[in-house]
Amino acid sequence: QGIDRPSVYHAMVVIFLEFFAWGLLTTPMLTVLHETFPDHTFLKNGLIQSVKGFLSFLSAPLIGALSDAWGRKYFLLVTVFFTCAPIPLMRISPRWYFAMISVSGIFSVTFSVIFAYVADVTQEHERTTAYGLISATFAASLVTSPAIGAYLSTSYGDNLVVLVATLVSVVDICFILLAVPESLPEKMRPASRGACISWEQADPFASLKKVRKDSTVLPICITVFLSYLPEAGQYSSFFLYLRQVIGFGSASIAAFIAVVGVLSIIAQTVFLSILMRSIGNKNTVLLGLGFQILQLAWYGFGSQSWMMWAAGGVAAMSSITFPAISALVSRNAESDQQGVVQGIITGIRGLCNGLGPALYGFIFFLFHVELNELAPDQTLGKKAMQDPSDERTIIPGPPFLVGACIVLLAFLVALFIPEHSKASSTRKHSNSISGTLSNNVDRSSEEDVEPLLQDSSL
């Protein structure tokens, strides 16, 4: 039954523990990548992540739909379990570890279930703040965990780090089993669970077809795709890039993650609420995208460590984009469709998690950026930077500049996102029509309603 009534705090604990466990593995991950794939590390890492992301894209709509019918708790348990399942294999068998990471993409959609859980327990006007808290919790989980992992790895070896991460994952699973209450009211669930799920709901391409017909959600989904594609590529390779090209050691990488994490928490808890009240939801999304463009361009042209630190501060401000978009999507969905709609968004992010790393890995491969045989705390990539004939002296990070251009397209698309919920405006308009015209208006409205917002079978 869980502890107390369902609340945002239950979701925050689940997210914190899951990503704290993965944050501990930041330093061992670099070592395992290098040992397992000594040649073309960026490219091969990108291909692994592409398989995982594509599987997430395929499964997210189905898991979201099932959570709308069966409840959130079951699927929180499943997604967290399979997301963390590869962790013990890191030191047991690296090859099986990377294989398990790829396969785990089928269930690595925790955020879609978490955001649906939050939508269940909050009012519409509270969701932006709640989503900001969830995103801030994700950042908070990465504030100290990489530093702790780096210290344990240096002092006691990677085996202990993997063991601690595994124990944290087990604690998270036990917390869901024992402490997390179900958030979806029984009256919101269909009477027949088996009859309410169709192949159309499970098919991500069918979901995309319905999104295409929806003038409200379509630009939101395109914005998510274009903005998260370079972000996913950045996540997959950035720490390797800091170590290889810029010359960061393990301690510097951990400190960088901690500082950016703290600034992201401030941005998503303090600035996000202020911006939402002062400039509105849509303008907050646009502002976040603007910061992301600046951040990626700075990463692309930056060749010194201080430039990375400065760009990291800008990256923290760009973290307001996704919670603002999630709140916008939630506002445009009915209460019994939160899991489906958040599943679609998470599915798109999952697709980006596959395409982004592959794109970045391929561009790094084209520019001959490899992981050299150097100790973790040595200065890396300096010889390449000192050669004036090397094209990397002019553009150290080509993938980041490509990413900046892609986010610029996302910014242009976001300009066309409606500021107000079309579903609510349609309901208000229909209520104001006189009774003598109601039948005609109802028939015409059925032809004009947005398919994603009104079709409960999605």
Side-chain angles (χ1 to χ4, degrees), residues 139-156:
S141 68
L142 300 178
V143 168
T144 57
S145 56
I148 294 173
Y151 171 76
L152 292 176
S153 178
T154 303
S155 302
Y156 304 102

Side-chain angles (χ1 to χ4, degrees), residues 10 44 47 124 144 167 173 177 208 246 264 281 285 418 430:
H10 291 94
K44 292 178 180 177
L47 293 176
E124 183 176 305
T144 57
L167 292 176
I173 293 170
L177 277 172
L208 293 180
I246 306 301
S264 297
N281 201 324
V285 172
S430 63

Side-chain angles (χ1 to χ4, degrees), residues 79-276:
T79 55
V80 170
F81 176 82
F82 281 98
T83 300
C84 297
I87 291 178
L89 296 175
M90 176 177 280
R91 300 307 299 174
I92 298 173
S93 175
R95 298 266 178 191
W96 278 105
Y97 165 74
F98 287 110
M100 189 64 181
I101 280 184
S102 300
V103 176
S104 70
I106 298 174
F107 297 101
S108 296
V109 291
T110 307
F111 267 105
S112 66
V113 185
I114 282 289
F115 281 145
Y117 189 100
V118 171
D120 293 339
V121 300
T122 56
Q123 299 297 320
E124 183 176 305
H125 66 278
E126 301 171 329
R127 285 178 193 159
T128 300
T129 301
Y131 289 154
L133 286 173
I134 295 297
S135 297
T137 302
F138 165 72
S141 68
L142 300 178
V143 168
T144 57
S145 56
I148 294 173
Y151 171 76
L152 292 176
S153 178
T154 303
S155 302
Y156 304 102
D158 289 345
N159 289 339
L160 180 63
V161 182
V162 174
L163 175 61
V164 173
T166 302
L167 292 176
V168 172
S169 302
V170 171
V171 170
D172 196 12
I173 293 170
C174 292
F175 177 79
I176 297 172
L177 277 172
L178 303 176
V180 175
E182 177 56 56
S183 65
L184 190 66
E186 193 70 34
K187 62 182 179 181
M188 296 293 295
R189 307 180 204 178
S192 176
R193 293 180 176 180
C196 65
I197 303 299
S198 64
W199 168 247
E200 186 178 14
Q201 291 174 281
D203 183 5
F205 301 100
S207 300
L208 293 180
K209 289 178 183 177
K210 287 186 177 290
V211 167
R212 186 182 62 189
K213 300 175 183 178
D214 194 313
S215 60
T216 301
V217 179
L218 177 60
I220 297 176
C221 291
I222 296 175
T223 300
V224 170
F225 178 81
L226 293 175
S227 63
Y228 196 70
L229 181 66
E231 187 174 340
Q234 173 188 318
Y235 283 153
S236 70
S237 60
F238 188 59
F239 301 135
L240 286 171
Y241 176 79
L242 288 178
R243 182 180 167 191
Q244 165 68 20
V245 179
I246 306 301
F248 276 43
S250 298
S252 299
I253 291 174
F256 181 90
I257 296 172
V259 170
V260 174
V262 170
L263 294 177
S264 297
I265 293 170
I266 296 172
Q268 294 168 7
T269 54
V270 179
F271 290 108
L272 179 63
S273 298
I274 295 174
L275 290 171
M276 291 294 292

